Amino acid sequence: MPASNTATIESVEQKTAALYSDCFERLNEWTDDSWLRQGEMLFQNVGLTDAMVRGKKCLDGGCGHGTLSYQLLSHGAAEVWGVDLHRTLKEPMFENRPAMHFLKASLLDLPIADNSFDLIVSNGVLHHTADPEKVFSEFTRIVKPGGRVVLGVYGKHGLFPYCLWLLRLFTVKLPIIPESLVRRVMDMLGLSPMLRYQILDYAYVPRLERYSPKEIENDFFRDNGLSNITRIYGLTPEQAKYFRDHKTVYTYDTRTLFARILFGYGFIVFQGTK
């Protein structure tokens, strides 16, 4: 790989790790109950079930604050590996769970042998990486034959993503609005850890790609030889209402006309088998 490309990747990963380290440090202020409920939402939103997880060796690709990793264990996984660029601040929650392992590493070059995992889940991470295609090829390399990859990414189009694209012209591309100023304003307003996370995630993460369902199905799953490819439509309206009522995170049904206008393809989830 040319030195310039290596430098670019390292820069993106350093900036991404720094931004999310701060975000997850604030999320660490959550009560354990809120943290657990967030994990429940993530588990259900990507279509995971007990049958998919029980007895399996699982990898959480881009595990963040570890709440989805915890859910994988709670739903019967035999072993879970959480991989991220920064340490997981919620590691004390796993002290009595020897089947949980955390690995600080880049998803672009996983220090893991081929055909190691039964299930790989990556939720809301791939679109922030310096080389999404390379990351997905790593997932397919380390999943076992017959194993499953579950991927959740941001979708294209919609009024909200278009507005974010315009905002990022002034926060990332140029940039005119400094991140430090926005952080001070958020502190003055006393925003919740989750709202703070969402603002920084959308406005200042170095890379933010968006995809159509066809691009995910063809350019990632089919091009890497996966089969039994299925799109998952996430939470039901009833499930979404439950999590909204408990102030977990905003959720919506991507199949409604209102959601399509506002969010386009929304949050896209696919799964496939090696």
Side-chain angles (χ1 to χ4, degrees):
M1 180 182 294
S4 59
N5 289 351
T6 301
T8 299
I9 289 172
E10 289 178 352
S11 175
V12 168
E13 291 194 331
Q14 288 170 4
K15 291 177 181 177
T16 302
L19 184 141
Y20 286 115
S21 291
D22 175 77
C23 287
F24 291 129
E25 186 172 345
R26 295 302 183 102
L27 283 175
N28 208 34
E29 299 169 10
W30 265 3
T31 64
D32 290 345
D33 183 65
S34 297
W35 181 78
L36 290 168
R37 190 165 282 119
Q38 176 73 7
E40 292 174 13
M41 186 279 294
L42 295 175
F43 188 92
Q44 294 178 30
N45 196 46
V46 295
L48 294 174
T49 64
D50 287 358
M52 291 169 61
V53 172
R54 189 180 298 113
K56 302 294 196 300
K57 183 178 180 181
C58 305
L59 181 133
D60 183 1
C63 62
H65 56 347
T67 185
L68 180 57
S69 297
Y70 191 92
Q71 291 299 317
L72 291 169
L73 282 177
S74 299
H75 285 268
E79 190 176 347
V80 177
W81 286 77
V83 181
D84 214 310
L85 292 169
H86 53 84
R87 63 179 293 267
T88 300
L89 295 175
K90 281 288 188 179
E91 284 186 33
M93 292 288 290
F94 298 88
E95 285 180 350
N96 298 318
R97 291 178 174 259
M100 183 70 220
H101 312 277
F102 288 105
L103 176 63
K104 185 178 177 181
S106 169
L107 296 177
L108 287 163
D109 187 20
L110 290 166
I112 297 170
D114 296 356
N115 307 321
S116 294
F117 289 90
D118 302 297
L119 174 67
I120 294 177
V121 184
S122 185
N123 184 57
V125 175
L126 188 91
H127 46 246
H128 292 319
T129 63
D131 189 343
E133 290 78 11
K134 178 65 166 65
V135 170
F136 197 83
S137 72
E138 281 289 272
F139 291 161
T140 57
R141 178 182 68 79
I142 65 173
V143 73
K144 297 176 181 178
R148 192 189 316 250
V149 178
V150 180
L151 178 72
V153 295
Y154 291 159
K156 286 180 173 178
H157 307 311
L159 295 177
F160 183 63
Y162 292 151
C163 290
L164 285 179
W165 177 85
L166 183 61
L167 172 64
R168 286 175 61 83
L169 285 178
F170 302 103
T171 58
V172 176
K173 299 296 184 183
L174 294 178
I176 294 173
I177 306 172
E179 183 182 335
S180 58
L181 172 62
V182 172
R183 287 180 181 273
R184 288 198 297 271
V185 171
M186 291 191 296
D187 288 340
M188 289 172 55
L189 294 175
L191 299 186
S192 70
M194 177 51 72
L195 184 54
R196 178 189 177 92
Y197 168 89
Q198 289 175 328
I199 290 171
L200 293 174
D201 175 63
Y202 286 134
Y204 286 101
V205 68
R207 289 289 300 271
L208 197 165
E209 301 294 333
R210 291 184 178 274
Y211 301 93
S212 70
K214 280 296 183 185
E215 287 172 327
I216 296 302
E217 180 178 354
N218 295 325
D219 298 347
F220 290 91
F221 283 80
R222 294 198 187 282
D223 282 1
N224 282 277
L226 298 187
S227 59
N228 302 318
I229 302 165
T230 307
R231 184 176 179 186
I232 307 298
Y233 283 94
L235 304 177
T236 66
E238 293 76 22
Q239 289 172 319
K241 183 178 185 304
Y242 168 81
F243 289 113
R244 284 198 303 271
D245 289 347
H246 287 83
K247 298 179 172 55
T248 303
V249 71
Y250 72 87
T251 50
Y252 51 88
D253 185 345
T254 59
R255 291 162 290 189
T256 66
L257 177 61
F258 176 76
R260 292 297 297 270
I261 292 171
L262 194 57
F263 299 110
Y265 288 119
F267 192 75
I268 302 172
V269 180
F270 271 88
Q271 64 176 8
T273 305
K274 182 173 177 179

